[in-house]
Amino acid sequence: MNIARNLMEIAQANRQMTDAEVARLAGISAQTLCAVKRGENCKPATAGKIAAALGVSVESIVRKE
């Protein structure tokens, strides 16, 4: 899956969360979060963890192709 950085950062800003907080709540490493934000593909489970940490649906942060 490919996460849309701008959509993820909007959700992150709405929750007033740092990257470190998102990674910790999602249970992923900061390096993984950074890779996702750079546009690298991630597993659906990782996208789900990030979305859950941000309190949004996966659909709201995934890049539409």
Side-chain angles (χ1 to χ4, degrees):
M1 301 191 94
N2 203 295
I3 302 294
R5 180 180 182 145
N6 63 325
L7 298 176
M8 186 174 115
E9 288 184 343
I10 290 168
Q12 189 175 345
N14 284 332
R15 296 276 317 263
Q16 300 176 10
M17 296 174 70
T18 65
D19 285 351
E21 290 171 321
V22 175
R24 182 180 54 77
L25 283 175
I28 62 174
S29 70
Q31 293 87 347
T32 298
L33 183 63
C34 187
V36 168
K37 283 186 137 184
R38 280 195 311 267
E40 295 182 23
N41 285 330
C42 67
K43 295 177 182 176
T46 302
K49 290 176 183 181
I50 293 169
L54 293 170
V56 298
S57 68
V58 173
E59 295 86 359
S60 69
I61 60 171
V62 171
R63 181 173 294 146
K64 279 53 167 186
E65 300 193 24

